[in-house]
Amino acid sequence: GAGVSQTPSNKVTEKGKYVELRCDPISGHTALYWYRQSLGQGPEFLIYFQGTGAADDSGLPNDRFFAVRPEGSVSTLKIQRTERGDSAVYLCASSLMGQLQETQYFGPGTRLLVL
Amino acid sequence: DQQVKQNSPSLSVQEGRISILNCDYTNSMFDYFLWYKKYPAEGPTFLISISSIKDKNEDGRFTVFLNKSAKHLSLHIVPSQPGDSAVYFCAARSGGSEKLVFGKGTKLTVNP
């Protein structure tokens, strides 16, 4: 079946604008994760959904960042009042049930550039 | 404070030789470890994992070794192939958390 897909693949915006990044997980996967990868760094955890609910949002850097998953499938990461420091690759991953030894499968990422 | 460290930003090896990528961690609560491979403009792809109850896991050309007392793991690729050229990320997870904690990655170049 299809893997994790993310849209758009690239997004250029101006400082202060609002952006939405979309993630389509693998069909049937109940666990969904957002990570952010800055240049020269490894992916950093942002938020984890189990079904429709955010089970762990401890990685969200501040209240400008928000994510939803209203029907337990597609998720949207929302960034308000974007800043230049938000520029990064935003990665989405999914796993079957979120259990310890399950593999997290990653999408290709959305490259966000804030000018 | 980085909990997962990959101290070598790059590694270059000849085709057919062994590649050894290293990873150190500081959090003793980590009990599951993974290696991901990443090509440019793609997301990370799962490669191999190991539970803390084991000290070795092998899958074809790839073997991961875990030394819990030293808080160190390594990925061995043998024989290395040019298609293995990518950035390799070490990641760790603890039983009480769903999130993966990643290192900064090591860029492997396998020369023909």
Side-chain angles (χ1 to χ4, degrees):
Chain A
V4 178
S5 63
Q6 293 185 246
T7 55
S9 54
N10 293 281
K11 177 71 177 178
V12 181
T13 190
E14 293 179 344
K15 180 175 178 293
K17 298 289 188 181
Y18 168 84
V19 297
E20 289 190 352
L21 312 179
R22 176 188 168 109
C23 172
D24 266 285
I26 294 172
S27 178
H29 280 193
T30 63
L32 185 146
Y33 312 79
W34 284 98
Y35 293 81
R36 177 169 73 173
Q37 185 177 11
S38 301
L39 196 61
Q41 304 294 317
E44 293 180 293
F45 171 80
L46 295 176
I47 187 170
Y48 156 64
F49 285 90
Q50 180 58 256
T52 60
D56 182 355
D57 64 358
S58 62
L60 294 178
N62 51 59
D63 61 6
R64 295 188 298 106
F65 289 74
F66 190 70
V68 296
R69 195 186 184 200
E71 297 179 358
S73 178
V74 170
S75 177
T76 304
L77 178 65
K78 308 180 180 193
I79 311 174
Q80 299 177 324
R81 305 182 305 279
T82 52
E83 299 177 357
R84 292 194 180 87
D86 298 335
S87 298
V89 177
Y90 289 81
L91 294 163
C92 178
S94 71
S95 68
L96 188 60
M97 294 178 67
Q99 294 179 356
L100 176 62
Q101 297 197 10
E102 287 178 0
T103 298
Q104 293 184 21
Y105 297 92
F106 283 82
T110 293
R111 285 150 192 80
L112 175 66
L113 177 61
V114 182
L115 300 176
Chain B
D1 180 32
Q2 271 214 298
Q3 298 185 65
V4 177
K5 300 177 183 179
Q6 294 178 256
N7 292 319
S8 297
S10 63
L11 174 68
S12 184
V13 300
Q14 284 300 117
E15 181 178 7
R17 305 294 290 270
I18 185 171
S19 296
I20 300 176
L21 298 101
N22 293 303
C23 177
D24 296 290
Y25 62 96
T26 57
N27 188 341
S28 57
M29 298 301 291
F30 288 147
D31 53 11
Y32 192 62
F33 304 89
L34 308 90
W35 285 93
Y36 280 82
K37 179 168 78 170
K38 187 181 184 301
Y39 294 116
E42 294 183 11
T45 302
F46 170 74
L47 197 55
I48 192 169
S49 62
I50 188 166
S51 166
S52 60
I53 62 173
K54 296 184 176 181
D55 55 17
K56 178 183 174 181
N57 189 27
E58 189 173 353
D59 184 2
R61 297 186 297 115
F62 303 91
T63 302
V64 56
F65 296 91
L66 175 62
N67 182 333
K68 283 184 63 180
S69 61
K71 292 190 176 70
H72 176 83
L73 63 156
S74 61
L75 174 68
H76 293 211
I77 307 173
V78 56
S80 301
Q81 300 174 353
D84 296 329
S85 297
V87 177
Y88 288 77
F89 290 99
C90 173
R93 183 175 175 178
S94 65
S97 173
E98 299 77 19
K99 67 182 180 184
L100 296 177
V101 180
F102 284 84
K104 289 187 176 184
T106 296
K107 182 177 182 180
L108 173 66
T109 302
V110 180
N111 301 301

